[in-house]
Amino acid sequence: MVTDFAARGWAKLPYDAAVRDWAASAWQAGQIAKDAPEHALWWDCENTWFIGVDALPNDAAGAIGTGPALTGAPVETLQALYGEVLPLHPGQLSITYPGYPRPRMGESEAGFRYRIKRDAAHLDGLQKGEDGGRYIAEPHAWILGLPLTENVDTEAPLVIWEGSHEIMRTALLDALAAHPQDMWHAVDLQAPYQAARKQVFETCTRVKLIAQPGEAILMHRLSVHGVSAWESESEDLPSCECRAIAYFRPILPGGAVAWLANT
């Protein structure tokens, strides 16, 4: 479990009734948020994916309105691993529906093939620039996923490449070694990132991370991860028409240097 986090790059946290209460409150708010007109731009993949960045109206402790703050196993684990829990941003509300994946708006044929074949696997924190390169833009401290609905392995589960964080760290540090640390954010990492990702696919085990409301998934900030396809037939859905997970990824003080540190 958490004792293997440094090697695997992920941990499934045990069921906690306080987290279950938080998830129930968050899902109530999430169902309102996904249909809000101001969030219409987050619908993509022909309405089979609500991306929902910053869509949850939680405060820095995770509380939504009069609902509970986020406590219990996630907070205790983060404190044990990192010494503190950074203030939480408005949570991402990632919701998938039967039929996912379908092409994203403006997605090329090659991009869609990658989405299907490799689960749109990516490293959070890197973003494409206007020149087509990839740059360190959002150095997250950690990635915490909190299921809001029942999750099964055939309904667009979260997937991760176990141990990929160390491959990514080594590759990016090698690419940045010749540059001053205060300029790391301006270095195009597209080529080393793609090469490292290829190595990840060839050498790391792909794992479906299945958790239920009340549980949580903690991922290392440098882990390669994605979303698998929805394989179930709609008439076979157990209790909900969708799969919903709330994500928190607070920005790490210290920027790119801290992001690539061995922590």
Side-chain angles (χ1 to χ4, degrees):
M1 200 177 65
V2 176
T3 54
D4 299 326
F5 178 76
R8 298 194 304 179
W10 68 275
K12 179 178 176 179
L13 308 186
Y15 176 86
D16 189 310
V19 178
R20 180 65 181 84
D21 291 344
W22 182 89
S25 174
W27 185 224
Q28 284 186 329
Q31 292 177 83
I32 296 171
K34 71 181 178 64
D35 295 326
E38 64 268 26
H39 294 152
L41 75 165
W42 290 128
W43 285 97
D44 211 332
C45 293
E46 300 176 4
N47 290 331
T48 62
W49 182 25
F50 180 75
I51 304 170
V53 174
D54 293 349
L56 279 180
N58 58 274
D59 64 17
I64 301 171
T66 59
L70 181 62
T71 60
V75 172
E76 293 165 5
T77 300
L78 290 168
Q79 289 173 335
L81 288 172
Y82 299 105
E84 64 174 336
V85 179
L86 296 171
L88 300 178
H89 56 85
Q92 179 186 8
L93 182 63
S94 176
I95 310 176
T96 51
Y97 289 81
Y100 177 87
R102 292 178 181 158
R104 288 195 69 173
M105 290 180 285
E107 190 169 52
S108 66
E109 290 185 11
F112 183 51
R113 286 196 301 271
Y114 179 78
R115 180 172 299 278
I116 295 173
K117 181 180 179 181
R118 295 297 191 188
D119 309 305
H122 61 280
L123 173 63
D124 283 2
L126 294 183
Q127 291 185 358
K128 280 194 173 183
E130 294 182 359
D131 60 356
R134 287 186 187 267
Y135 300 89
I136 301 173
E138 294 183 345
H140 302 116
W142 33 261
I143 305 169
L144 180 67
L146 296 146
L148 306 183
T149 62
E150 296 298 311
N151 280 226
V152 298
D153 65 0
T154 56
E155 295 175 3
L158 171 67
V159 294
I160 192 170
W161 278 261
E162 198 166 78
S164 57
H165 59 301
E166 293 300 348
I167 292 174
M168 283 291 161
R169 188 201 315 279
T170 298
L172 297 182
L173 283 174
D174 287 349
L176 292 165
H179 301 274
Q181 290 185 345
D182 61 355
M183 293 301 297
W184 281 7
H185 66 281
V187 178
D188 181 3
L189 295 170
Q190 176 83 330
Y193 167 64
Q194 289 184 332
R197 197 175 58 185
K198 183 175 185 293
Q199 181 182 351
V200 164
F201 295 147
E202 292 172 347
T203 62
C204 295
T205 300
R206 173 183 177 271
V207 180
K208 292 182 177 181
L209 302 185
I210 311 300
Q212 309 307 331
E215 299 175 323
I217 298 293
L218 179 64
M219 293 191 293
H220 192 282
R221 58 182 176 262
L222 298 178
S223 290
V224 175
H225 60 282
V227 178
S228 186
W230 189 295
E231 299 171 353
S232 293
E233 296 295 331
S234 59
E235 57 265 29
D236 295 332
L237 298 183
S239 60
C240 183
E241 65 175 3
C242 61
R243 187 277 292 148
I245 302 175
Y247 288 101
F248 291 109
R249 300 170 297 180
I251 298 298
L252 181 65
V257 175
W259 187 61
L260 290 169
N262 189 19
T263 57

